[in-house]
């Protein structure tokens, strides 16, 4: 047990230890950002790097031709899920209140939100090496990174990463495509099909019996001892974070196209599943730069792995893990099975995040089933954590209090639920998710 950090609210601690799903509001929101916070210019640079990479990506991946090499996802209206959930949770929609899904489960190539952070970091690394070797000039288009000369150069370098699965997939796929030697350290939760897929692309996969932090630590140690090796550090990488933050600009454009205004009387709510915090933290950071106080961001975490909640509720930056408060970190949401939040991200979220709600395994499967039945969308369990965010906000005592304290009128509110992964999941696995979800759904409707 870490003696200098703790959660002082005994009621909250008891509910967390009980694995009870709950909504927690961050009462430090609005405090100053730390001095080392990324700037708006840093985020803009990441956006520009994706622009410079578009031709390159379209060349490497023919399936990106239709989007001219842009790694992006749709913003989809989900009225049927909204209706089902409003009814089920005895909530009611206000006038012109709308739910959307940000469909990162269908992001091309990597099939998860990790395409954003992971691809950005590998592209930034390749760009840096290419500049150092006079293959491209700073700010030049990156199409030359596909040249034989560049590939030969990259093949001298190694890229390593530790992951619960999806980050390994994204880093491994992009690094191998550019010619790097890639090694992925996978934690115990990582699914076999993710390892198989990487190996089929020539990526070296090392399996660990330990958790996510152990896999990251193993990768970090090996990388330090290896010359010409870059370690993608999910626990503290600014490049990953900026890749996620770069998503915000396009979301703003998509909202405009959908005729959704965001201002004081048209609030925007965003719900994102959280593992170590990089992806949801980057998205929150990017959206806050554009929408400020008019966007309210909530993270969804498993009841057994609420690492961001635990860190923020300790009110300090001394590391506090879910193990420290007696939780197991055992969850069906493999992408969210993280015991300790990123120390790059948690201090930023202290000033920006509205709150965190926790999700049981049953709820994950129920959500998976609900969105398949209503919108015909197939997700993986981690992605399903966010789906009931709006009803959680509207029906929980804490959520009500938040709306009251911020004088929020939900008429004209837009809710964006971020779906973070699923399109690469093998069919048998998806089928199993649905069967499990159906039985849980039917059992819970019997009780109601
Ligand atoms: C990684 C992941 C997340 C969370 O991202 P973090 O950066 O770990 O917080 C959410 N959903 C899925 C499917 C993921 O793979």
């Amino acid at each position: 047990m870490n003696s200098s950090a703790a959660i002082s609210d005994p009621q909250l601690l008891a509910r967390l230890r009980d694995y009870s799903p709950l909504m927690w509001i961050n009462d430090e929101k609005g405090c100053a950002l730390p001095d080392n916070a990324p700037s708006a210019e840093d985020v803009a640079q990441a956006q520009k790097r994706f622009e410079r990479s578009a031709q390159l990506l379209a060349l490497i991946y023919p399936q990106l031709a239709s989007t001219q090499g842009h790694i992006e996802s749709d913003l989809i209206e989900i009225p049927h899920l909204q209706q089902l959930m409003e009814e089920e949770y005895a909530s009611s929609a206000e006038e012109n209140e709308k739910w959307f899904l940000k469909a990162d489960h269908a992001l091309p190539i990597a099939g998860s939100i990790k395409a954003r952070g992971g691809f950005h970091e590998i592209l930034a690394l390749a760009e840096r090496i290419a500049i150092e070797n006079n293959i491209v000039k700073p700010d030049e288009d990156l199409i030359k990174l596909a040249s034989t000369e560049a590939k030969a150069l990259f093949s001298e370098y190694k890229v390593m990463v530790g992951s619960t699965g999806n980050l390994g997939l994204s880093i491994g796929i992009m690094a191998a495509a550019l010619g790097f030697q890639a090694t992925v350290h996978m934690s115990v939760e990582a699914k076999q099909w993710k390892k198989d897929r990487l190996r089929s692309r020539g990526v070296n996969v090392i399996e660990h019996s330990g958790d996510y932090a152990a896999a990251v630590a193993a990768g970090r140690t090996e990388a330090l001892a290896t010359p010409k090796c870059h370690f993608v550090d999910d626990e503290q990488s600014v490049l990953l974070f900026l890749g996620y933050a770069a998503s915000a600009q396009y979301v703003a454009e998509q909202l405009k196209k959908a005729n959704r205004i965001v201002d004081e009387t048209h609030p925007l709510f965003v719900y994102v599943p959280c593992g170590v915090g990089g992806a949801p933290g980057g998205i929150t950071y990017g959206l806050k730069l554009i929408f400020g106080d008019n966007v309210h961001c909530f993270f969804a975490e498993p009841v057994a792995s609420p690492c961001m909640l635990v860190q923020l509720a300790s009110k300090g930056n001394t590391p506090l893990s879910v193990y420290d408060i007696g939780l197991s970190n055992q969850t069906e949401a493999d992408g969210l099975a993280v015991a300790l939040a990123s120390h790059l991200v948690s201090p930023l979220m202290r000033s920006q995040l509205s709150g965190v709600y926790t999700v049981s395994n049953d709820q994950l499967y129920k959500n998976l089933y609900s969105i398949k039945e209503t919108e015909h969308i197939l997700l993986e369990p981690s992605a399903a954590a966010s789906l009931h965010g709006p009803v959680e906000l509207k029906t929980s005592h804490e959520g009500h209090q938040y709306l009251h304290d911020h004088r929020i009128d939900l008429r004209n509110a837009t809710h964006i639920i971020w779906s973070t992964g699923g399109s690469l999941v093998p069919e048998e696995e998806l089928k199993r998710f649905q069967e499990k979800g159906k039985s849980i759904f039917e059992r819970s409707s019997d009780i109601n």
Side-chain angles (χ1 to χ4, degrees):
M1 169 69 92
N2 199 318
S3 59
S4 53
I7 291 175
S8 61
D9 174 351
Q11 255 182 328
L12 173 64
L13 190 60
R15 288 172 73 199
L16 286 168
R17 283 182 167 159
D18 206 26
Y19 295 86
S20 307
L22 57 87
M23 168 67 96
W24 172 82
I25 300 299
N26 173 27
D27 62 17
E28 291 181 284
K29 180 168 74 80
C31 71
L33 280 167
D35 293 339
N36 66 347
S39 66
E41 178 54 26
D42 294 334
V43 177
Q45 283 298 335
Q47 279 160 9
K48 287 183 193 153
R49 182 167 292 113
F50 275 122
E51 291 298 322
R52 289 199 295 278
S53 308
Q55 284 199 64
L56 166 73
L57 294 177
L59 183 69
I60 305 179
Y61 295 109
Q63 65 266 49
L64 292 179
S66 60
T67 61
Q68 286 86 43
H70 288 102
I71 304 284
E72 258 311 336
S73 69
D74 293 335
L75 185 69
I76 307 167
E77 271 193 56
I78 44 170
H80 308 291
L81 181 73
Q82 176 175 5
Q83 189 183 357
L84 175 85
M85 285 209 173
E86 297 270 23
E87 276 168 17
E88 196 192 341
Y89 292 82
S91 166
S92 61
E94 299 293 332
E95 189 188 331
N96 195 28
E97 185 185 9
K98 261 193 192 162
W99 292 25
F100 289 81
L101 193 76
K102 179 60 180 166
D104 274 11
H105 64 280
L107 271 180
I109 321 295
S112 84
I113 194 168
K114 299 297 195 305
R116 298 184 183 280
F119 290 3
H120 179 252
E121 177 144 353
I122 296 304
L123 291 166
L125 170 71
E127 180 177 39
R128 199 196 70 209
I129 295 172
I131 290 173
E132 285 167 4
N133 288 274
N134 300 314
I135 289 179
V136 293
K137 294 188 201 59
D139 301 325
E140 194 185 339
D141 189 274
L142 295 177
I143 185 103
K144 286 184 198 154
L145 300 196
S147 65
T148 328
E149 187 195 4
K151 249 192 158 163
L153 176 63
F154 297 149
S155 72
E156 296 168 20
Y157 290 80
K158 292 196 171 75
V159 172
M160 284 184 194
V161 64
S163 166
T164 63
N166 285 340
L167 183 65
L169 264 185
S170 139
I171 295 289
I173 289 172
M174 185 54 72
L178 291 178
F180 290 101
Q181 303 173 49
T183 297
V184 177
H185 291 262
M186 290 280 202
S187 61
V188 65
E189 306 83 14
K191 303 288 182 221
Q192 190 59 42
W193 68 265
K194 294 182 183 174
K195 299 175 202 166
D196 295 343
R197 191 173 276 252
L198 281 170
R199 287 189 173 125
S200 75
R201 294 185 183 230
V203 174
N204 179 23
V205 177
I206 300 176
E207 299 174 52
H208 291 272
S209 54
D211 73 354
Y212 157 86
V216 173
R220 197 185 283 128
T221 305
E222 194 190 339
L224 273 174
T226 311
K228 285 195 165 181
C229 182
H230 178 80
F231 179 60
V232 177
D233 198 330
D234 198 18
E235 291 181 314
Q236 44 199 340
S237 165
V238 176
L239 286 172
L240 284 178
F241 186 81
L242 294 174
Y244 297 118
S247 63
Q249 190 62 49
Y250 187 57
V251 171
E253 285 171 32
Q254 289 177 312
L255 284 169
K256 219 175 247 170
K257 265 198 200 131
N259 290 318
R260 299 305 293 182
I261 300 166
V262 180
D263 64 17
E264 216 165 301
T265 55
H266 300 73
L268 173 63
F269 293 85
V270 182
Y271 310 88
V272 200
C274 176
V276 74
I283 286 164
T284 298
Y285 202 77
L287 290 170
K288 283 281 175 188
L289 281 170
I290 298 172
F291 297 116
D293 289 341
N294 298 323
V295 61
H296 306 267
C297 299
F298 291 86
F299 289 177
E301 297 193 293
V303 289
S305 314
C307 63
M308 188 62 72
L309 192 171
V310 163
Q311 187 64 58
L312 294 181
S314 78
K315 309 270 173 174
N317 295 329
T318 305
L320 185 67
S321 81
V322 307
Y323 300 133
D324 292 331
I325 66 161
L327 296 179
S328 69
N329 193 27
Q330 300 283 320
T331 168
E332 300 281 322
D334 51 333
L336 313 182
V338 177
L340 182 65
S342 158
H343 279 267
L344 168 73
V345 179
S346 58
L348 301 170
M349 291 304 101
R350 187 177 300 289
S351 87
Q352 296 193 323
L353 192 63
S354 293
V356 179
Y357 56 100
T358 62
V359 187
S360 67
N361 281 332
D362 277 7
Q363 184 78 49
L364 294 173
Y365 284 106
K366 210 170 138 184
N367 288 354
L368 281 178
Y369 178 72
S370 299
I371 192 163
K372 162 71 166 48
E373 286 297 297
T374 53
E375 307 285 350
H376 313 291
I377 291 170
L378 291 159
L379 303 178
E380 62 181 90
S382 299
S386 53
L387 299 185
H388 63 297
V391 285
E392 193 62 39
L393 175 72
K394 289 163 70 165
T395 60
S396 66
H397 169 72
E398 291 79 4
H400 256 271
Q401 193 64 44
Y402 180 87
L403 294 172
H404 179 264
D405 290 347
H406 289 75
R407 298 192 174 79
I408 292 169
D409 181 345
L410 286 175
R411 271 176 300 181
N412 303 310
T414 300
H415 301 269
I416 295 181
I417 294 160
W418 216 286
S419 73
T420 49
S423 61
L424 293 190
V425 179
E427 210 158 314
E428 319 84 76
E429 200 112 344
L430 289 171
K431 221 161 137 191
R432 198 175 53 80
F433 297 159
Q434 286 302 319
E435 279 160 13
K436 204 159 165 179
K438 183 166 192 245
S439 79
I440 293 166
F441 188 90
E442 284 168 356
R443 206 165 64 221
S444 69
S445 340
D446 287 349
I447 296 166
N448 286 343

